[in-house]
Each structure stands twice: as C-alpha cells, then as structure tokens.
C-alpha cells in the first residue's frame, strides 16, 4: 500500500536564507493554515480561494505555495491522484516563471508520489533532479547548503518505506556531513527520527528508543501531526525488545494523534495492522480481531473501489483508458492535418512551378528546399509529441498495476493473520465444545473467498481484455489456469500465489508446470515474460 505518511520528510535545521526563494510562507492564507488539522475540507476551500486570488494578482510563487499545501492535504487523506495532479500544475507554473528553487521543491514532491507506488527507480530519478537543482543553487550562493538536508532525507525516507536500512544509512550520513558535529536531536529532530529507524534496524533499538523520546517534546510543541509516525516507530522499537505493554501504548497514541490532527489518516490502517499482530503475538485474539477489523475498515474507506473517499484512485485506474482515447483522437487529428498539409503542399508546388517558369529555376529550387525542411521539422515535432503521449500512457498503466499488487499483498497479509487466528480457534474448539468458534471459522473461510473476488474484479478493470486474449489463444485452459496466469502477469511470488489461491507452495509449482505443458512452452522459455506479453 502506497502510504503518503511513510514519506513525510524532514525540514532542515535553521539556516541562513539568501535571496528569499522559499516556497512556504506563513503569511499566506493564515485562515486555511489554522483549519487544516481541525476541518481539512474547510481549509481546502480557503486555500482554493487564496490560490485564485494569487494567480489573479500575478503572484506565481505564492500560488505554487498554496497548490503544494492543497496537495499535501489531499495526500494525507489518501486522495493521491488529486495530490499528484496538483504537483504537476505547480511544476508547470514554476517552469513558465523560471523559478528554479520552486521547481526543485516540486520535483522532490513528485519523487515522493512515485515512492507511494513502490516505483523506487522513478522516485529516485525525480528526487535526484531536485537534488541537482539545489546543488547548483548552493554553488551560485542563492541558497544555504542546509537546504540539501531535505533532499537527502527524501532518499532516506524512500528507503525506510521500502525497508532498506543500509541504503538509508548512506544518505543519512550525507545529512550529518552538512550538520555541525555537536548537533543534538532537538536541534534537528527530523534527521534524528530517521537515525532512530536506522539504529533499530541495524541492531540498537535501545538507542533508537532514547532518541525518539528525546525528540517527542519538540514535535508536541511544533508539529504534533508528525507524532503519528514517531509514536508508531517507537512502538516498533519496543516490540523488538518484547516490551509489549509499551508497544501497545504507543501504537494507540499514534492512532489517537492521527484522529485528533486529521493527519496521516491512511497510515492509521498500517498501525492498526501492527497492533493486531501485537495482540496475536501475546495471545489476545479478541483485540487482534478488533484491530484487524479497524484496519480493514480504513482500507475499505481509502482503497476499496466502492468507497466514496476513493474516487481519486478510481480516476487513476481509469486514466489509461482516457489517455488512450485522447491519444487516438490526437492521432486522427494528426492524420487529417497531414492530409490537409499535403494538399497545401501540392497546391504550393503548382504555384511554385508557375513561379519557376516566370522567375527561373533557381528561385523555385530555393523555395522548394525551404518548404521540405519545414515539413520535416513539423513531422519530427509530431512524432516526438506522439512518443511522449505513449510513454505517459505506459507510466499510468505501471502505476495501476503497482496499486493492484500493493492491495493484493494487503489481502495476503490479512489472510495469513486470519489463518493463524483460525488455527487458534480450532485449538480452542478441541478443549471447549461450547465455544462458538464454528461461526468464526466459517466467516474466515468466507472472507478468504471474497478476497479473491475483490482481486479478480480489480484485475479485470486494469488489464482489460487479458482473459479474452488468453481464452482465444489457449481455449483449453480452465478457470484455475486463468487465475494462475493473472498472478503470473503481476510477477507475484509462489508464496503470495499460494496464500491468495488458498493452496500450498508445492501446489503452485505443480500448477505452473502443468500450465507450461498446456501452452506448450519449452523449458528454455520464460513463463513470466510469455504471460506478460499476452
């Protein structure tokens, strides 16, 4: 699941500001700022009015600042497409106005957005663009080098989200190379928050706990909404030490802080899952079941296709179809323009012929060469434009498939927990025949079947026509073969396939072998590539 909260990044320590190019300014839309944690929707309305007013006055930098704040609110409420669209709108304004610092900040945000969908390479590409822009501004003396801390922390947070602590350590070291050797956690709390994570993952959870407790008062005073993350990771550190009581308390504080500040709401789903795992680990299956239900409720609210809060996600899923239609219309328009252009060229050739007769071959030859050169330039422009449209459509399809894989992994994790609870319920049943566990076991079995139905519905929405092409090419395949092909197309592991299909890993391997025989794929052929190209 792509979580905006996992990638909220740090602010640099106080640094001397050179010619003021910073985007955020407290004086802009004070009313909107004051409501963003109390009534986010009212805050959005005020920000929209402020944006329109700033654009009308010609204050492009101010409008970019407001657009970024609007996108941040959308992201905190899992409306990722609206946040994504806002950043690209801001980038267009910054590019036209030649605002380099603003462009760097927006590329940084776009890199974060790609990180939500586990597109590490794409995310790093945009984060590096932002870093290069700021390095040039530092060299030119337009901003202080402390501004680079934000960029390095962007890399750290991306690797933290993807559980890659050693890669995160490299960029964290870059932050400390900029900071003075005597810097304390309170002076740079965001950097030390990331340091706590790296310490815990590399074998020193006790030090991670100490750092986290030291920076909590600063966040309580300055940025209380960020405590959603601080508390959740602090709970993780205590869990590693088997201090389950402290871990439970901080998970609950994280959830309470999210609700109180209307912030990192989508991250609360992950916290509920972690809390459910904790309860299951200590044998409190009742609370484990309740927490798992809360997580599912939040997932349905933000990520289920039927949820009103998830219209942005549906728009992303449908974006490929809309872009394809737009591309076809564009191609048709280009063909008409090409025909019209050819007609014009033909007419001009006749005119040129008359001119050649009157004024001579030399003048006519020069004119023809000029027209041909212009025609080639227009053709190259159209071809480049078409290639960009195709690339954009491919990027959208990649995003949608990553969303489907992420949601499927969530279903697998929930199933694994349900299977564990089911096993425990069966043990209870052996010792107490009056315990009403049969109904719970049946509900778990029904939930597992429903998970597949939800997955298959989303798969069909994204990969339109896949099953039809598969049936046409291999009519002998049965329904179970179709399911297996769908999971192979998404590059799922054998373990994930086994969990989603409710079979053993050995059965998955057997089914893959039988599938290769049915489609007559020899041993040298790659099954994933073959299915992926259908």
């Amino acid at each position: 699941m792509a979580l905006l909260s996992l990638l909220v990044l740090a602010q640099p320590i106080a640094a001397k500001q050179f010619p003021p190019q910073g985007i955020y300014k407290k004086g802009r839309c004070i009313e909107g700022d004051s409501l963003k944690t109390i009534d986010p929707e009212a805050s959005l309305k005020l920000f929209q009015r402020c944006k329109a007013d700033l654009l009308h006055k010609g204050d492009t930098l101010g409008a970019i600042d407001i657009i970024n704040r609007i996108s941040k609110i959308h992201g905190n409420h899992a409306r990722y497409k609206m946040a994504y669209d806002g950043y690209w709108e801001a980038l267009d304004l910054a590019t036209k106005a030649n605002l380099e610092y603003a462009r760097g900040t927006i590329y940084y945000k776009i890199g974060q957005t790609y990180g939500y969908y586990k597109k590490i390479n794409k995310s790093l590409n945009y984060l590096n663009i932002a870093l290069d822009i700021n390095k040039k501004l530092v060299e030119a003396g337009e901003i202080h080098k402390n501004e680079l801390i934000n960029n390095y922390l962007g890399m750290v947070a991306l690797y933290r989200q993807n559980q890659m602590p050693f890669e995160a350590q490299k960029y964290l070291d870059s932050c400390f190379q900029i900071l003075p050797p005597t810097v304390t956690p309170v002076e740079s709390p965001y950097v030390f928050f990331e340091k706590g994570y790296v310490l815990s993952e590399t074998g020193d959870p006790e030090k991670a706990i100490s750092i986290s407790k030291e920076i909590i008062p600063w966040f309580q005073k300055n940025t209380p909404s960020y405590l959603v993350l601080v508390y959740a990771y602090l709970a993780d550190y205590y869990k590693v030490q088997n201090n389950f009581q402290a871990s439970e308390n901080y998970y609950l504080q994280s959830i309470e802080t999210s609700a109180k500040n209307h912030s990192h709401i989508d991250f609360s789903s992950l916290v509920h899952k972690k809390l459910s795992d904790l309860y299951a680990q200590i044998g409190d299956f009742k609370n484990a079941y309740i927490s798992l239900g809360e997580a599912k409720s939040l997932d349905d609210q933000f990520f289920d296709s039927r949820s009103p809060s998830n219209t942005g996600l549906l728009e992303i899923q449908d974006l490929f179809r809309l872009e394809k239609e737009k591309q076809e219309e564009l191609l048709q328009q280009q063909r008409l323009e090409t025909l019209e252009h050819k007609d014009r060229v033909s007419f001009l050739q006749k005119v040129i012929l008359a001119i050649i007769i009157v004024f001579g071959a030399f003048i006519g030859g020069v004119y023809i060469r000029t027209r041909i050169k212009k025609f080639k330039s227009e053709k190259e422009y159209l071809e480049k434009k078409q290639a960009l449209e195709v690339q954009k459509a491919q990027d959208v399809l990649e995003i949608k498939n990553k969303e489907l894989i992420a949601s499927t992994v969530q279903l697998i994790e929930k199933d694994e927990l349900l299977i564990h609870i089911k096993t425990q319920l069966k043990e209870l049943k052996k010792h107490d025949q009056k315990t009403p566990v049969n109904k719970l076991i049946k509900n778990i079995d029904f939930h597992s079947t429903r998970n597949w139905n939800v997955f298959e519905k989303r798969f069909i929405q994204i990969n339109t026509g896949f099953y039809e092409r598969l049936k046409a090419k291999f009519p002998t395949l049965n329904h179970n073969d179709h399911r297996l092909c769908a999971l192979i197309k998404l590059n799922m592991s054998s373990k994930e396939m086994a969990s989603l299909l409710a079979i053993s890993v050995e059965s998955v391997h057997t089914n893959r072998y039988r599938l290769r025989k049915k489609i007559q794929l020899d041993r040298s052929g790659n099954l994933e590539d073959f299915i992926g190209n259908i």
Side-chain angles (χ1 to χ4, degrees):
M1 179 173 64
L3 297 172
L4 177 65
S5 307
L6 287 173
L7 282 175
V8 174
L9 303 177
Q11 299 295 327
I13 63 171
K16 178 182 177 182
Q17 292 295 317
F18 287 80
Q21 296 189 61
I23 294 177
Y24 178 74
K25 186 177 180 180
K26 289 185 177 180
R28 296 191 184 106
C29 200
I30 298 175
E31 298 85 356
D33 263 340
S34 63
L35 288 175
K36 64 184 179 183
T37 59
I38 303 172
D39 189 347
E41 298 307 318
S43 176
L44 282 173
K45 292 180 180 178
L46 289 170
F47 279 143
Q48 291 288 1
R49 294 176 188 171
C50 185
K51 166 192 163 184
D53 184 55
L54 289 168
L55 287 173
H56 179 72
K57 293 178 179 178
D59 186 353
T60 303
L61 189 62
I64 293 172
D65 172 20
I66 298 301
I67 293 171
N68 282 347
R69 297 193 218 179
I70 292 171
S71 292
K72 183 175 181 180
I73 293 176
H74 285 313
N76 276 337
H77 289 77
R79 298 190 288 261
Y80 299 124
K81 180 186 181 298
M82 299 178 75
Y84 182 83
D85 290 344
Y87 290 136
W88 281 105
E89 179 188 0
L91 181 61
D92 183 58
L93 289 173
T95 301
K96 291 178 179 177
N98 198 26
L99 299 170
E100 280 300 292
Y101 185 79
R103 287 179 68 248
T105 301
I106 300 163
Y107 274 122
Y108 172 86
K109 296 292 185 182
I110 294 173
Q112 285 183 293
T113 306
Y114 275 107
Y116 310 153
Y117 301 104
K118 306 293 184 181
K119 295 174 71 69
I120 298 179
N121 292 335
K122 206 80 170 179
S123 178
L124 286 174
N125 177 54
Y126 284 107
L127 290 175
N128 277 313
I129 292 175
L131 177 61
D132 290 341
I133 289 174
N134 276 0
K135 283 183 175 179
K136 292 178 181 178
L137 292 174
V138 170
E139 292 176 0
E142 296 184 24
I143 62 173
H144 194 276
K145 66 178 181 180
N146 283 10
E147 295 279 352
L148 300 179
I149 294 176
N150 255 3
N151 298 103
Y152 291 129
L153 283 179
M155 313 290 189
V156 176
L158 177 65
Y159 287 122
R160 166 168 54 82
Q161 178 199 16
N162 289 277
Q163 299 179 350
M164 301 167 71
F166 294 103
E167 287 77 3
Q169 177 71 64
K170 297 176 184 178
Y171 289 99
L172 191 62
D173 291 342
S174 297
C175 295
F176 282 104
Q177 287 177 5
I178 297 175
L179 293 169
T182 58
V183 66
T184 65
V186 175
E187 291 173 327
S188 192
Y190 292 97
V191 175
F192 278 88
F193 166 73
E194 300 293 353
K195 182 177 181 179
Y197 161 75
V198 172
L199 285 171
S200 177
E201 291 295 316
T202 53
D204 195 353
E206 187 66 37
K207 182 64 175 177
I209 291 172
S210 175
I211 289 175
S212 298
K213 287 188 173 181
E214 189 173 352
I215 62 178
I216 283 176
W218 187 93
F219 284 111
Q220 288 174 334
K221 179 180 179 181
N222 297 280
T223 316
S225 62
Y226 201 80
L227 287 169
V228 177
L229 291 175
V230 178
Y231 288 147
Y233 278 95
L234 183 55
D236 289 343
Y237 309 152
Y238 274 117
K239 186 177 179 182
V240 171
Q241 293 189 321
N242 294 325
N243 189 341
F244 300 123
Q245 182 62 52
S247 180
E248 177 190 11
N249 289 338
Y250 280 109
Y251 279 139
L252 292 174
Q253 286 190 59
S254 175
I255 294 170
E256 180 183 353
T257 303
S258 175
K260 179 180 178 181
N261 292 279
H262 297 280
S263 179
H264 308 83
I265 297 175
D266 55 342
F267 185 63
S268 296
S269 171
L270 181 61
V271 179
H272 278 294
K273 289 177 184 176
K274 291 184 177 183
L275 187 58
S276 177
D277 291 340
L278 174 66
Y279 285 138
Q281 188 173 347
I282 63 178
D284 188 353
F285 299 111
K286 179 180 178 181
N287 279 326
Y289 187 80
I290 292 173
S291 294
L292 187 63
E294 292 289 341
K296 181 181 182 303
S297 176
L298 288 171
D299 281 346
D300 289 342
Q301 178 182 354
F302 292 116
F303 299 100
D304 194 291
S305 61
R306 297 165 297 180
S307 170
S309 300
N310 205 25
T311 53
L313 188 60
L314 283 174
E315 290 172 8
I316 290 177
Q317 291 175 336
D318 196 46
L319 185 58
F320 176 73
R321 178 183 62 81
L322 295 176
E323 286 297 327
K324 186 175 181 181
E325 292 175 355
K326 182 179 179 181
Q327 181 183 346
E328 290 175 350
E329 292 176 358
L330 181 62
L331 289 174
Q332 184 178 3
Q333 182 180 355
Q334 289 174 353
R335 285 193 292 267
L336 290 175
E337 290 176 353
T338 300
L339 290 174
E340 292 175 358
H341 186 73
K342 288 181 178 179
D343 289 338
R344 290 196 297 269
V345 170
S346 178
F347 173 77
L348 287 173
Q349 286 175 341
K350 295 177 180 179
V351 174
I352 291 171
L353 182 59
I355 295 175
I356 290 174
I357 295 174
V358 177
F359 298 101
F362 176 76
I363 296 177
V366 172
Y367 186 80
I368 290 174
R369 286 195 296 271
T370 302
R371 294 301 303 174
I372 291 175
K373 184 177 180 180
K374 182 179 180 181
F375 178 77
K376 288 182 178 179
S377 298
E378 292 176 351
K379 183 179 179 182
E380 289 176 359
Y381 169 77
L382 293 175
E383 289 174 348
K384 290 180 180 179
K385 187 174 182 181
Q386 179 182 350
L388 288 174
E389 292 292 339
V390 172
Q391 180 62 40
K392 185 176 181 181
Q394 291 174 347
D395 287 345
V396 171
L397 181 58
E398 288 179 14
I399 290 174
K400 294 188 297 179
N401 274 322
K402 289 298 183 181
E403 292 171 349
L404 177 58
I405 292 173
S407 64
T408 303
V409 170
Q410 294 171 14
L411 295 175
I412 291 172
E413 291 174 351
K414 289 189 280 187
D415 274 350
E416 290 175 350
L417 180 57
L418 289 172
I419 290 171
H420 178 68
I421 296 175
K422 179 178 175 181
T423 302
Q424 297 296 321
L425 291 173
K426 286 182 177 179
E427 290 297 319
L428 292 175
K429 182 179 178 183
K430 292 178 181 179
H431 299 291
D432 185 6
Q433 295 295 330
K434 295 181 181 181
T435 303
V437 298
N438 284 330
K439 183 176 180 180
L440 291 175
I441 294 173
K442 289 180 180 180
N443 286 339
I444 292 172
D445 290 335
F446 171 76
H447 175 81
S448 296
T449 302
R450 182 174 176 270
N451 279 347
W452 174 260
N453 293 334
V454 172
F455 163 80
E456 194 166 49
K457 181 178 178 181
R458 291 181 177 174
F459 180 86
I460 292 172
Q461 287 176 342
I462 295 174
N463 297 277
T464 306
F466 175 77
Y467 283 139
E468 287 75 10
R469 294 190 297 272
L470 192 63
K471 291 175 183 178
K473 198 167 185 178
F474 304 105
T476 61
L477 298 183
N478 57 36
H479 185 64
N480 288 334
D481 294 331
H482 292 164
R483 287 185 173 187
L484 182 59
C485 287
L487 298 180
I488 292 173
K489 184 174 178 65
L490 294 178
N491 289 322
M492 287 194 174
S493 67
S494 296
K495 182 179 178 181
E496 291 169 340
M497 293 181 187
S499 178
L500 193 59
L501 296 173
I503 60 177
S504 67
V505 175
E506 290 75 17
S507 296
V508 171
H509 293 161
T510 301
N511 290 342
R512 285 171 64 98
Y513 174 76
R514 291 173 179 170
L515 178 62
R516 293 179 73 97
K517 292 185 67 177
K518 288 183 180 182
I519 64 177
Q520 298 179 349
L521 183 64
D522 58 33
R523 296 172 62 88
S524 63
N526 186 288
L527 183 59
E528 285 75 12
D529 291 343
F530 185 86
I531 297 298
N533 291 326
I534 294 179

